[in-house]
Amino acid sequence: MTEAEIRAALAPFKIENRIDGVHVQDGLVQVSLRAARQEAAGLEGLRREIEARLKGLQGVKSATVVLTAHAAPSPSSPPAPAAEPPLLPEVKHVVAVASGKGGVGKSTVAVNLAVSLAQRGLKVGLLDADIYGPSLPKMLGLATKPQVHDGRIQTLDAWGVKSMSIGYLVPEDKAMIWRGPMVMGALNQMLGQVDWGALDILVVDMPPGTGDAQLTLAQKAKPSGAVIVSTPQDLALLDARRGVQMFEQVGIKVLGVVENMSFFCCPACGHRAEIFGHGGAEREAERIGVPFLGEIPLEIAVREAGDEGKPVVAHDENGKVAVAFRQLAASVSKALGL
């Protein structure tokens, strides 16, 4: 199935002027359609009809059609949108692991938090929501493509955790040069069309920043809470502060702040070096009135485990980093009442 064939299948609907993008990858189809905000409700039936038509095509395993609405100025308040059915009806809690910037080890925290929660006996899923820079395949040691059964994408499981990433669906060296609507379509697909099953917690490795993707995930996945990851230095804390504010503005509880790469102990002599400073995240958590969830040391074992595709909590179970992640998992579990 090719993009040209998908566009040909769309021709009878006479929507050429609305097609904002079409993406086809291994039988997974995403189509975004332009629509003014006031048109969205009236076009919902057409959207469903198009989606059903695409799902019926030979070679199509799964299809998602999204409307990309644009606000129109209006002197009066728009009517309240109709309530949408939950995307994750069997998931008790969604926890977003986020940061205001990249490079603070957010994905490392998300992966090891998920595995640590699974080690506590919980049913755990892990969603890699970073479309442009997916890291789960490497960090979990997974290289196979997911199967599709009855129109539902099956998770890939490792270390006791169910997982999904766009990195499972595209070649490792392929650059994801997608516009915003295509990213939104992919995120909706990984939330609503993946067979997550019954989970106690779905950990979402959020993309860095505070843009459209973060807001979409906050609104669609409806997290029970967010864990903010920062390194100790002031520059990272400024961005972490923005992450906290974003979640507060969309009504999501911040479970706390984690200080990653908190300090380094030389494996040869034991000398402790606070490379990025120390204690900044704890002071920031106290300043903004959210819990401090602990500090994660910077160790060579973390890098080695990530490169080998084996989370450090499984690679070096008795090490300082593993202990710190288990303490983090205990704090998150307690905050969620699990």
Side-chain angles (χ1 to χ4, degrees):
M1 183 59 62
T2 65
E3 178 180 338
E5 290 172 319
I6 294 297
R7 289 182 178 272
L10 296 174
F13 294 99
K14 302 186 184 301
I15 54 170
E16 292 85 356
N17 61 329
R18 290 192 181 275
I19 298 176
D20 198 40
V22 174
H23 178 74
V24 184
Q25 179 75 38
D26 295 327
L28 306 180
V29 178
Q30 297 164 14
V31 176
S32 59
L33 303 178
R34 287 187 295 272
R37 190 174 298 277
Q38 62 270 24
E39 296 178 305
L43 290 172
E44 179 59 21
L46 176 63
R47 186 197 69 78
R48 291 180 181 275
E49 185 180 351
I50 295 171
E51 199 169 79
R53 164 65 177 154
L54 294 177
K55 288 179 179 178
L57 296 177
Q58 185 175 1
V60 173
K61 299 176 182 177
S62 178
T64 300
V65 178
V66 294
L67 299 175
T68 58
H70 302 278
S74 172
S76 60
S77 299
E84 295 183 6
L87 281 178
L88 302 164
E90 296 185 274
V91 177
K92 293 180 183 178
H93 297 286
V94 176
V95 173
V97 178
S99 65
K101 68 189 298 293
V104 297
K106 172 181 51 58
S107 294
T108 297
V109 172
V111 168
N112 284 280
L113 171 61
V115 176
S116 297
L117 289 166
Q119 290 174 342
R120 293 175 63 84
L122 298 172
K123 296 178 181 178
V124 182
L126 178 60
L127 171 61
D128 186 352
D130 192 346
I131 301 298
Y132 297 116
S135 54
L136 252 61
K138 180 68 173 178
M139 299 187 74
L140 293 177
L142 296 171
T144 58
K145 291 186 178 180
Q147 301 295 312
V148 178
H149 296 157
D150 298 326
R152 305 281 288 174
I153 306 170
Q154 303 302 300
T155 59
L156 297 185
D157 304 349
W159 313 109
V161 173
K162 294 184 174 183
S163 68
M164 182 52 57
S165 169
I166 195 70
Y168 298 152
L169 305 172
V170 299
E172 186 179 57
D173 57 353
K174 180 179 175 62
M176 304 303 293
I177 309 173
W178 285 2
R179 296 173 64 186
M182 301 304 294
V183 173
M184 300 305 103
L187 292 175
N188 279 319
Q189 198 165 26
M190 290 195 293
L191 285 168
Q193 295 188 25
V194 169
D195 188 9
W196 289 106
L199 296 177
D200 295 308
I201 300 179
L202 175 63
V203 176
V204 180
D205 180 12
M206 299 281 282
T210 56
D212 287 345
Q214 291 79 3
L215 291 174
T216 294
L217 285 162
Q219 293 164 355
K220 295 285 188 181
K222 303 184 186 309
S224 301
V227 173
I228 305 299
V229 181
S230 179
T231 46
Q233 77 268 36
D234 291 343
L235 183 61
L237 291 169
L238 286 172
D239 292 304
R241 201 171 299 158
R242 297 186 184 101
V244 171
Q245 291 172 352
M246 180 195 73
F247 286 111
E248 289 177 342
Q249 288 175 11
V250 295
I252 294 171
K253 180 181 179 180
V254 176
L255 301 179
V257 178
V258 179
E259 182 169 284
N260 195 31
M261 309 183 203
S262 184
F263 58 88
F264 172 75
C265 285
C266 175
C269 67
H271 172 72
R272 172 168 166 155
E274 297 171 353
I275 299 172
F276 301 108
H278 182 258
E282 184 173 11
R283 290 190 294 272
E284 182 66 19
E286 182 179 359
R287 191 190 72 80
I288 60 181
V290 301
F292 178 62
L293 298 176
E295 51 190 40
I296 311 296
L298 174 63
E299 288 192 359
I300 295 173
V302 178
R303 192 272 305 164
E304 292 175 339
D307 286 348
E308 293 175 9
K310 186 175 185 179
V312 70
V313 292
H315 179 77
D316 184 15
E317 295 184 8
N318 297 317
K320 290 181 180 179
V321 177
V323 171
F325 277 123
R326 283 199 291 272
Q327 291 172 345
L328 171 61
S331 298
V332 171
S333 297
K334 182 178 179 180
L336 297 175
L338 296 173

